Amino acid sequence: MQIVLLGTAAGGGFPQWNCWCPACRTARSDPSRALPRSQSAAAVSADGERWFLLNASPDVHAQVARLPGRAPAGARGSPVEGVVLTDAELDHTLGIVLLREARFLQLAATAAVREILAEDSGLLRVTSAFAEVRIQDLIPGRPAPLAYRDGCPSGLTVTPFPVPAGPPRFARADHPGHTVGLVLRDAATGGVAAFAPGCGGFDPEVEAALGPAELVLFDGTFWHDDELIRLGISDRTARQMDHLPVSGPGGSLERLARLPARTRVYTHINNTNPMLLEDSPERAEVERHGLRVGADGMRFSL
Ligand code: MLT
Ligand code: MN
Ligand code: ZN
């Protein structure tokens, strides 16, 4: 199983178009000290040619162009076999409508995510006007096999697990399953990876889901719980925004450092997070704990 981090920034990207926080300033003035990053997405493949996107970001076109694979023989073709969703947030789903040129689009999502896409953001209705959209139901705790567009099994399975979080702010209902993490398994290699780009807490269910994974890709949105308050950007804490901060007691760094996983990488990193700066003490602290700060294009094989 191969996994690529296509986009490692949170919503808005890095630098964010309207942001002049210290990290965004550095990303503009000296990108070697703060690599620019596109919005949160990853991709998984069993054969290195046919890929399932893990979320569809507003940067999906540029991200898909960077997927490895052979050029198709015909006039149309794409290495994207389907999209697996962790939630219905805009940074994870606006890319669906940008894939409307596909005649047939496979999505895998929980019932709650499907409902938000259908009823609240309207993305499903808009996309379905252009393409045949088929949705595979994901049920938390149940492994779901990922099949290629031609119906053949990929050998990959995805098992969603619930994570502590509220629904998107435009959702009218708060149904369980609106936000999940994914455990990915490759039957051929036995490889296990976990992907949780949005996670508001580290409860026993999250810990149990991450336990068997040799690769953990985890929510690195904010360094401090009061990061946006300090910068005068918002009056909400990271925890109030359903993102467990990296630092501090009970923070994700302390929790992830104790996991057995060989490789632990932060993704969905907000542009304000000082660990984005290559030479920051925060970056050094992450690495001292044996973790890595994700960057676009990072690849893993398991
Ligand atoms: C989040 O990660 O909390 C959401 O994507 C918020 C947003 O950017 O709308
Ligand atoms: Mn987000
Ligand atoms: Zn910024």
Side-chain angles (χ1 to χ4, degrees):
M1 167 165 65
Q2 293 189 39
I3 295 184
V4 184
L5 281 177
L6 294 173
T8 50
F14 181 57
Q16 178 172 309
W17 63 282
N18 63 346
C19 190
W20 294 88
C21 74
C24 284
R25 282 179 193 272
T26 306
R28 289 193 185 91
S29 63
D30 187 357
S32 69
R33 284 186 55 220
L35 301 179
R37 287 164 165 84
S38 65
Q39 296 172 80
S40 173
V44 62
S45 173
D47 64 5
E49 303 222 336
R50 292 172 288 180
W51 294 86
F52 294 89
L53 298 183
L54 308 178
N55 293 325
S57 92
D59 300 317
V60 70
H61 290 168
Q63 293 174 340
V64 164
R66 288 200 299 266
L67 282 176
R70 273 191 293 247
R76 287 278 168 93
S78 157
V80 178
E81 294 287 335
V83 183
V84 186
L85 298 171
T86 59
D87 55 70
E89 296 284 358
L90 295 177
D91 54 350
H92 288 158
T93 56
L94 280 173
I96 294 170
V97 78
L98 302 177
L99 297 173
R100 70 189 180 283
E101 292 89 357
R103 282 189 201 120
F104 170 46
L105 196 56
Q106 299 201 96
L107 301 181
T110 63
V113 168
R114 177 207 287 248
E115 185 184 317
I116 299 168
L117 292 177
E119 306 298 331
D120 299 321
S121 70
L123 288 178
L124 212 49
R125 194 169 45 81
V126 173
T127 311
S128 301
F130 298 88
E132 182 194 342
V133 182
R134 193 177 302 162
I135 306 188
Q136 177 182 6
D137 267 322
L138 294 183
I139 299 168
R142 282 213 208 147
L146 294 180
Y148 297 123
R149 280 171 292 186
D150 62 9
C152 290
S154 67
L156 302 175
T157 62
V158 58
T159 310
F161 58 96
V163 297
R169 60 170 94 178
F170 52 85
R172 283 168 290 183
D174 183 358
H175 293 146
H178 58 68
T179 310
V180 296
L182 306 172
V183 174
L184 300 150
R185 286 192 170 79
D186 182 346
T189 65
V192 183
F195 179 64
C199 186
F202 209 94
D203 63 14
E205 235 174 325
V206 170
E207 193 167 4
L210 303 184
E214 58 196 276
L215 169 66
V216 172
L217 305 168
F218 196 83
D219 182 344
T221 310
F222 298 112
W223 183 265
H224 301 286
D225 196 35
D226 61 352
E227 188 159 312
L228 297 186
I229 299 170
R230 288 182 192 205
L231 289 164
I233 291 174
S234 164
D235 54 9
R236 296 162 79 211
T237 64
R239 285 184 170 86
Q240 285 168 343
M241 297 172 76
D242 302 312
H243 295 291
L244 183 65
V246 172
S247 71
S252 63
L253 190 53
E254 168 187 300
R255 308 303 298 263
L256 295 172
R258 288 193 217 130
L259 287 177
R262 198 154 24 99
T263 313
R264 291 152 293 179
V265 184
Y266 280 117
T267 189
H268 190 282
I269 306 160
N270 199 57
N271 59 80
T272 50
N273 191 327
M275 72 181 183
L276 286 170
L277 300 171
E278 304 286 322
D279 53 6
S280 64
E282 290 84 0
R283 170 67 64 89
E285 190 176 338
V286 168
E287 292 175 353
R288 213 168 37 243
H289 282 79
L291 276 82
R292 291 165 73 186
V293 173
D296 293 14
M298 269 187 187
R299 282 178 75 160
F300 310 93
S301 196
L302 54 162

